[in-house]
């Protein structure tokens, strides 16, 4: 018997499949998914490499002419399942990436490293015990020269609470670690090591929460999906309902139904929405059956959560995109909340879309997939609407459930559009319209909070010479530099390049340098000038730097009642601020202006989402939308929160221009140091594919420089293909890539990228 093994390595040369002999004694143990150790290389000192078995076969074509080596060892503890491997293979094929990169996503956090000493281990902590008889200690304490009331108290406490976790003892007794250490030094207490699970939720007081009685719309949705749970069949469902319409309540009741069947659920939420508030809601309903996976946990915490799932101690996984790979047993339900969110598409290899994978897994396990959103992705809603008309067997069939009103009777904020052209016409050159200025003042007087949203960070987008038009560009990237006021530097948002601000134009020596555009820093400065007494806090990539500061900023805004929060996309979701009664969208125009097929969709979603931050408490909220395009449908319909009308308008454009859902978009990206080579290789690929697609429905566009065509001294070109992603399409691209000869150009294929403005996202 032979095994196909993929070596667990980043080295490119090893990223192939190798055949190994399965020794007789290991035959029973080695399965698809087994982690194995294999000899590798020809050197005399044979090193063992670790890898995974991805296939088992009777014959090997390499067995005849070369002497195949044999597998040395199996590691059963760290093995994967056969379905893991199947998924990894599928991903590698569809998303043009290495199997080993996909496998890494399925390994326990921290175990991808080959060096086993670097791997995570279960943590051992100190538990405090009395070191001798209680009476003895008390006797000694009472007769010592320096009697300590505190020490006696601790010993008394320990008498009834032996084995308490050391930090808990410190906090309950309100003493420092040194006090405990003194007791240990005197021989009164001792520490014992016991393995414990690091629990990211400890020290949290969780109120128990009971299921709510569902309203009629919720019940209909619940019943529909529950049928698929009860009768074990695949279904794809969309819950379309505004914020607060009770989607999460339905998710929780479905999860309960799955739990009652002894099965597990995976619930995905956008990374940025994985706030303590969100997690607490699930914890208070399900307690320790929850495991949470997200990037803010320490590696150790993530490892423990992963183990909890693997050992089936937690049956509910709440997490960001990659939680789909959690090792759940007996999967019964997958939920994707805010299904339109761009974070569900990975922008790094493997460039997968988790919605595709979730759909695949739901089909395979005969379980429901539930998508939820107030502003579903245009394609999702299209399939859901189409499904009503078409045959259930259609592979894109989606059941649509609509929730039309807020479950807790909160009213939607009143929203107004302000035409910034008119402001300019009236001589107001500020970033804030008179109306928004007055609304902010009003809020300050009433001690209510305000959120100001702006899509661009920094102080000003670019710097230009008034006399000759010179613009300060990054020397490494073909993009203008952004002025950062506090550091007084020009920064490149793509490569991090920094330089001193200009006072004299390098081209014409003029001193008439002008700062154009707007950013969060400039807005903050303007606010501080207009309202010197107001407190402000800013949240963007420049202020969110340490591990927790995203959370910290939001907490400070809430707890310290800071008057105004200024921020980029980062503030659009997650938290609930009951005292926010005014949201100002300083500019609605950023995404609309992008030459991106889904720019308008993103703009609509963002405006609706940000607007939803206003008036969540008892006082009704207001929203002010500033724009230079007051008649654009994305803005007028976002103002009315009219998703259906927006969908109807947008879908017509998509149909006319042949964009998703009427086709898929394949972006082939070329990246290299040598401009001529980049252009040459992209042309070669184009010619091969153009020939193949002749007479088909696929449309391929000539290679062109990317919107930002040089980043970190690498030239970037791209080809766009519009067509359906089928295996024929995938094979054609592979064929082209394999037939352009040797070169030094990196070629990346991105299936339905969330933006075509490749490299254009350096602004948040
Ligand atoms: P969404 O997920 O759509 O934003 P939630 O499920 O969070 O909505 O519901 C919004 C609020 O309404 C929550 O406070 C929730 O507890 C409450 N709620 C939801 N469903 C009901 C119900 N059937 N009866 C009473 N309150 C409900
Ligand atoms: Zn000049
Ligand atoms: Zn740069």
């Amino acid at each position: 018997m032979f095994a196909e093994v993929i070596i667990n390595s980043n080295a490119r040369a090893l990223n192939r499949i190798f055949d190994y002999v399965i020794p007789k004694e290991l035959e029973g143990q080695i399965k698809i998914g087994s982690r194995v150790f294999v000899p590798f290389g020809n050197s005399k000192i044979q090193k063992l490499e670790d890898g995974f078995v991805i296939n088992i076969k009777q014959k090997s074509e390499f067995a005849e002419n070369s002497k195949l080596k044999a597998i040395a060892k199996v590691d059963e503890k760290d093995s994967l399942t056969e379905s893991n491997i199947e998924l990894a293979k599928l991903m590698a094929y569809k998303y043009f990436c290495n199997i080993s990169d996909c496998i890494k996503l399925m390994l326990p956090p921290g175990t991808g490293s080959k060096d086993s000493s670097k791997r995570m281990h279960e943590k051992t902590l100190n538990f405090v015990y009395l070191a001798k008889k209680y009476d003895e200690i008390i006797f000694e304490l009472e007769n010592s020269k320096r009697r300590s009331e505190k020490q006696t108290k601790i010993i008394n406490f320990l008498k009834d609470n032996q084995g308490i976790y050391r930090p808990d003892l410190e906090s309950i007794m309100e003493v420092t670690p040194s006090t405990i250490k003194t007791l240990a030094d005197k021989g009164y207490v001792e520490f014992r090591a016991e393995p414990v699970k690091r629990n990211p939720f400890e020290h949290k007081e969780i109120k128990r929460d009971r299921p709510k009685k569902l309203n009629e719309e919720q019940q209909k949705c619940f019943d529909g999906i529950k049928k698929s749970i009860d009768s074990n069949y695949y279904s794809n469902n969309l819950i379309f309902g505004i914020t607060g319409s009770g989607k999460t309540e339905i998710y929780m009741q479905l999860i309960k139904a799955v739990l009652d069947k002894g099965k597990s659920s995976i619930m995905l939420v956008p990374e940025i929405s994985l706030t303590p508030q969100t997690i607490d809601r699930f914890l208070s309903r399900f307690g320790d059956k929850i495991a949470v996976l997200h990037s803010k946990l320490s590696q150790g915490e993530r490892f423990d959560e992963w183990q909890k799932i693997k050992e089936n101690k937690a049956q509910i996984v709440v997490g960001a995109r990659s939680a789909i790979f959690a090792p759940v047993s007996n999967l019964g339900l997958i939920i994707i909340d805010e299904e339109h969110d761009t974070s569900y598409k990975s922008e790094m290899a493997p460039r997968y879309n988790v919605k595709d994978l979730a759909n695949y897994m739901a089909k395979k396990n005969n379980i429901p997939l539930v998508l939820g959103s107030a502003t579903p992705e245009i394609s999702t809603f299209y399939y859901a609407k189409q499904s009503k008309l078409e045959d259930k067997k259609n592979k894109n069939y989606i059941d649509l459930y609509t929730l039309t009103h807020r479950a807790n009777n909160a009213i939607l904020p009143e929203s107004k559009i302000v035409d910034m052209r008119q402001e300019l016409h009236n001589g107001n050159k500020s970033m804030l319209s008179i109306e928004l200025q007055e609304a902010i003042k009003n809020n300050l007087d009433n001690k209510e909070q305000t959120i100001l949203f702006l899509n661009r960070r920094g102080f000003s987008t670019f710097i230009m010479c008034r006399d000759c038009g010179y613009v300060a560009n990054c020397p490494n990237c073909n993009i203008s530099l952004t002025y950062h006021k506090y550091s007084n530097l020009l920064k490149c948002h793509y490569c991090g390049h920094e330089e001193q601000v200009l006072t004299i134009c390098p081209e014409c020596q003029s001193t008439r340098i002008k700062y154009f555009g707007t950013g969060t820093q400039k807005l903050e400065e303007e606010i501080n000038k207009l309202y010197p007494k107001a407190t402000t806090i800013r949240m963007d990539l420049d202020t969110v730097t340490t591990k927790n500061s995203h959370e910290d900023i939001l907490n400070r805004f809430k707890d310290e009642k800071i008057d105004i929060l200024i921020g980029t996309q980062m503030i659009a979701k997650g938290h609930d601020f009951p005292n926010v009664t005014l949201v100002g969208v300083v500019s609605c125009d950023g995404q609309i202006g992008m030459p991106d097929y889904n720019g308008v969709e993103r703009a609509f979603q963002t405006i609706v989402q940000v607007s939803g931050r206003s008036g969540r408490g008892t006082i009704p909220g207001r929203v002010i939308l500033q724009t230079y395009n007051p008649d654009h449908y994305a803005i007028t319909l976002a103002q009315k929160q009219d998703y259906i009308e927006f969908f109807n308008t947008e879908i017509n454009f998509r149909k006319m221009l042949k964009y998703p859902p009427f086709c898929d978009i394949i972006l082939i990206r070329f990246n290299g140091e040598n401009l001529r080579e980049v252009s040459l290789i992209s042309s070669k690929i184009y010619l091969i594919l153009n020939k193949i697609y002749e007479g088909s429905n696929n449309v391929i566009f000539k290679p062109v420089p990317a919107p930002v065509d040089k980043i970190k001294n690498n030239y970037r070109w791209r080809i766009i293909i519009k067509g359906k992603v089928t295996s024929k399409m995938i094979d054609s691209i592979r064929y082209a890539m394999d037939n352009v000869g040797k070169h030094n150009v990196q070629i990346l294929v991105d299936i339905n990228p969330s933006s075509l403005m490749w490299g254009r996202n350096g602004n948040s």
Side-chain angles (χ1 to χ4, degrees):
M1 296 275 269
F2 300 93
E4 290 178 359
V5 173
I6 186 110
I7 310 274
N8 189 11
S9 161
N10 287 328
R12 246 184 137 186
L14 297 186
N15 239 310
R16 276 174 29 218
I17 296 160
F18 297 94
D19 282 8
Y20 281 89
V21 175
I22 302 178
K24 271 269 167 321
E25 67 274 17
L26 292 181
E27 239 167 44
Q29 282 179 63
I30 289 178
K31 302 187 217 50
I32 293 179
S34 294
R35 186 171 197 153
V36 291
F37 292 85
V38 293
F40 197 85
N42 296 318
S43 62
K44 290 210 182 88
I45 331 143
Q46 285 249 329
K47 243 179 53 199
L48 287 186
E49 294 278 349
D50 76 320
F52 287 89
V53 173
I54 64 162
N55 198 16
I56 290 178
K57 53 195 183 184
Q58 299 290 346
K59 278 191 195 141
S60 167
E61 50 181 309
F62 304 105
E64 304 281 310
N65 41 16
S66 76
K67 268 193 100 181
L68 281 183
K69 296 180 178 122
I71 292 175
K73 277 197 298 191
V74 201
D75 171 1
E76 297 203 47
K77 195 165 157 262
D78 275 341
S79 288
L80 294 172
T81 63
E82 190 166 344
S83 34
N84 284 148
I85 300 295
E86 202 176 306
L87 183 62
K89 280 183 182 168
L90 180 99
M91 288 172 71
Y93 174 72
K94 177 161 180 189
Y95 301 113
F96 293 83
C97 58
N98 302 320
I99 296 187
S100 56
D101 283 343
C102 303
I103 285 179
K104 278 194 193 99
L105 292 167
M106 301 164 189
L107 298 176
T111 57
S113 154
K114 250 197 301 203
D115 181 355
S116 61
S117 65
K118 277 200 206 124
R119 290 206 205 145
M120 296 304 304
H121 287 291
E122 285 166 272
K123 198 170 172 181
T124 325
L125 291 169
N126 289 314
F127 289 79
V128 189
Y129 288 83
L130 292 178
K132 4 180 184 184
K133 283 221 178 72
Y134 167 77
D135 295 342
E136 237 173 276
I137 302 171
I138 291 296
F139 179 82
E140 283 181 32
L141 274 175
E142 306 223 308
N143 292 297
S144 67
K145 272 182 228 138
R146 294 175 56 223
R147 283 185 52 187
S148 158
E149 205 58 42
K150 214 183 238 170
Q151 291 179 1
T152 312
K153 258 173 121 176
I154 296 171
I155 298 299
N156 279 326
F157 178 81
L158 276 174
K159 184 181 165 217
D160 302 319
N161 296 285
Q162 297 250 29
I164 187 171
Y165 175 45
R166 187 172 163 175
D168 284 348
L169 179 65
E170 287 159 14
S171 74
I172 291 169
M173 303 309 292
E174 294 176 352
V175 294
T176 58
S178 68
T179 313
I180 312 282
K181 186 171 175 295
T182 309
L183 286 172
D185 292 344
K186 287 185 178 171
Y188 299 151
V189 305
E190 65 186 17
F191 307 122
R192 290 185 208 160
E194 281 171 18
V196 289
K197 295 289 181 199
R198 284 158 289 230
N199 182 355
F201 321 123
E202 71 195 347
H203 311 306
K204 235 185 198 179
E205 278 174 44
I206 299 292
K207 273 187 274 154
R208 290 306 284 186
D209 163 54
R210 313 214 137 270
K212 310 250 179 330
K213 184 169 175 358
L214 298 179
N215 64 37
E216 205 175 307
E217 284 176 334
Q218 285 175 313
Q219 191 66 45
K220 207 174 144 213
C221 169
F222 175 83
D223 291 343
I225 300 169
K226 184 145 184 300
K227 262 192 240 153
S228 155
I229 294 171
D230 288 340
S231 314
N232 307 303
Y233 62 84
Y234 158 77
S235 65
N236 192 355
N237 310 273
L238 172 65
I239 309 181
F240 165 51
I242 52 170
T243 327
S245 59
K247 297 185 292 294
T248 309
E249 184 61 37
I250 301 175
Y251 303 153
M252 291 198 287
Q253 300 204 14
L254 289 170
I255 289 171
K256 177 71 171 46
V258 168
L259 201 59
D260 289 345
K261 282 192 79 178
K263 289 184 160 189
S264 306
S265 302
I266 296 178
M267 157 114 188
L268 302 182
V269 293
E271 176 83 47
I272 209 153
S273 316
L274 262 173
T275 59
Q277 277 187 353
T278 315
I279 295 165
D280 284 358
R281 272 188 85 179
F282 283 84
L283 279 176
S284 55
R285 187 73 59 95
F286 298 106
D288 58 8
K289 293 189 175 63
I290 297 277
V292 179
L293 293 170
H294 64 82
S295 62
K296 282 195 209 90
L297 298 176
S298 71
Q299 179 116 306
E301 285 169 343
R302 257 190 294 163
F303 177 84
D304 289 344
E305 294 296 287
W306 194 271
Q307 273 330 95
K308 227 164 94 182
I309 301 163
K310 201 163 179 182
E311 292 161 12
N312 203 18
K313 289 185 181 130
Q315 293 82 27
I316 304 158
V317 181
V318 180
R321 181 178 67 218
S322 60
I324 196 77
F325 303 109
V328 292
S329 38
N330 215 353
L331 186 62
L333 172 68
I334 307 173
I335 297 167
I336 304 183
D337 190 29
E338 313 264 17
E339 68 89 34
H340 62 276
D341 196 86
T342 47
S343 70
Y344 291 129
K345 165 74 170 62
S346 168
E347 300 301 330
M348 289 178 320
R351 293 181 172 72
Y352 65 96
N353 187 327
V354 80
K355 282 199 275 181
D356 293 345
L357 301 186
N359 199 30
Y360 163 83
M361 285 164 66
K363 275 184 191 157
K364 227 183 121 134
N365 291 286
N366 297 311
I367 59 167
L369 167 63
V370 176
L371 309 171
S373 177
T375 51
E377 199 182 333
I378 292 289
S379 298
T380 309
F381 200 72
Y382 173 76
Y383 289 125
K385 278 191 66 170
Q386 222 34 34
S387 300
K388 283 206 163 149
L389 317 169
E390 286 174 13
D391 183 6
K392 265 223 174 203
K393 280 188 209 103
N394 183 321
K395 73 179 167 96
N396 291 318
Y397 190 91
I398 300 178
D399 275 316
L400 176 63
Y401 298 98
T402 307
L403 306 179
T404 51
H405 47 265
R406 283 194 165 174
N408 56 1
N409 292 322
I411 43 172
L412 285 172
E414 182 197 320
S415 179
K416 207 175 162 209
I417 295 174
V418 173
D419 183 351
M420 292 306 276
R421 294 172 309 188
Q422 201 56 43
E423 291 291 314
L424 208 59
H425 186 77
N426 296 342
N428 177 16
K429 286 191 186 132
S430 154
M431 289 170 76
L432 304 172
S433 59
I434 300 297
E435 177 141 19
L436 185 50
Q437 289 183 19
E438 276 167 6
I440 294 171
K441 181 167 181 306
N442 205 29
N443 252 32
L444 290 171
D445 292 344
N446 293 335
K447 302 243 171 309
E448 291 167 24
Q449 289 173 295
T450 300
I451 290 179
L452 296 177
F453 174 83
L454 186 59
N455 238 332
R456 199 173 278 136
R457 76 191 228 252
F459 194 73
S460 145
T461 30
F462 62 106
I463 293 190
M464 193 168 99
C465 168
R466 281 195 162 175
D467 289 321
C468 74
Y470 169 85
V471 174
N473 269 344
C474 173
N476 312 318
C477 314
N478 200 359
I479 195 87
S480 52
L481 294 169
T482 302
Y483 175 49
H484 282 244
K485 169 118 178 155
Y486 296 113
S487 48
N488 202 32
L489 289 170
L490 295 175
K491 289 189 191 177
C492 171
H493 285 183
Y494 296 86
C495 73
H497 169 85
E498 294 179 355
E499 58 183 66
Q500 295 301 317
V501 294
L502 294 175
T503 45
I504 298 174
C505 171
E507 297 278 313
C508 76
Q509 273 71 50
S510 161
T511 51
R512 303 204 323 144
I513 306 284
K514 186 171 160 38
Y515 297 81
F516 280 96
T518 52
T520 42
Q521 277 192 18
K522 186 169 177 196
L523 178 60
E524 189 176 37
E525 192 183 78
E526 221 178 296
I527 292 287
N528 291 339
K529 253 188 228 146
L530 278 168
Y531 315 99
K533 287 201 188 114
T535 48
T536 57
I537 193 162
R538 184 160 57 87
M539 188 155 112
D540 54 36
L541 263 188
D542 298 309
T543 60
V544 175
T545 44
T546 57
K547 192 174 124 188
N548 278 320
S549 70
H550 172 253
E551 206 55 48
D552 295 344
I553 291 172
L554 294 176
N555 284 338
R556 280 190 55 205
F557 176 60
K558 189 169 181 167
D559 300 339
E560 298 170 24
K561 291 258 163 6
I562 288 174
D563 299 316
I564 302 170
L565 169 66
I566 296 167
T568 55
Q569 284 93 317
M570 290 182 184
I571 62 173
K573 36 195 126 152
H575 269 250
D576 218 346
F577 306 106
N579 197 38
V580 171
T581 55
L582 173 65
V583 165
V585 180
V586 176
S587 168
C588 297
D589 305 324
Q591 284 160 308
I592 288 175
M594 292 271 182
D596 214 343
Y597 80 92
N598 54 6
V600 170
E601 176 180 2
R602 301 280 173 237
F604 177 84
Q605 285 160 349
T606 309
I607 299 169
V608 170
Q609 199 136 41
V610 188
S611 304
R613 299 293 111 199
S614 182
R616 290 169 88 90
T618 43
I619 314 167
R622 288 179 69 188
V623 177
I624 290 177
L625 308 174
Q626 300 193 148
T627 175
Y628 288 94
N629 301 287
D631 303 321
H632 194 286
Y633 66 99
I635 296 170
T636 54
L637 295 172
Q639 178 215 4
K640 290 189 215 141
Q641 304 255 339
D642 191 344
Y643 176 82
I644 300 281
E645 196 50 40
F646 174 73
F647 170 83
N648 289 336
T649 315
E650 182 65 14
I651 199 78
N652 282 330
F653 284 111
R654 299 280 178 97
K655 195 167 199 167
M656 222 155 64
L657 300 168
K658 196 166 187 239
Y659 274 126
F662 301 100
C663 71
D664 292 307
I665 296 216
I666 298 102
L667 179 64
I668 310 181
R669 318 193 306 192
F670 302 87
N671 203 347
E673 283 174 19
N674 183 327
L675 177 58
R676 259 204 59 232
E677 200 183 13
V678 171
S679 137
L680 180 74
I681 295 300
S682 55
S683 297
K684 280 187 178 177
I685 298 246
Y686 168 77
L687 290 174
I688 296 175
L689 289 176
N690 194 41
K691 187 131 199 234
I692 298 177
Y693 299 155
E694 231 167 68
S696 78
N697 281 329
N698 297 335
V699 181
I700 179 164
F701 296 93
K702 284 209 172 81
V704 290
V708 180
D709 61 359
K710 191 175 113 187
I711 292 187
K712 296 183 200 168
N713 288 318
N714 270 273
Y715 294 92
R716 323 175 126 211
W717 283 51
R718 68 177 196 189
I719 290 175
I720 289 175
I721 304 170
K722 288 191 199 175
K724 277 280 165 206
V725 175
T726 56
S727 48
K728 226 170 144 183
M729 160 81 79
I730 291 171
D731 293 342
S732 68
I733 297 170
R734 274 180 203 287
Y735 172 81
M737 283 164 72
D738 291 343
N739 283 283
V740 288
K742 253 181 121 77
H743 59 82
N744 287 309
V745 177
Q746 186 188 24
I747 306 178
L748 300 171
V749 183
D750 206 337
I751 306 286
N752 290 324
S754 38
S755 167
L756 294 179
M757 302 299 290
W758 169 31
R760 256 296 197 166
N761 48 8
N763 264 325
S764 55

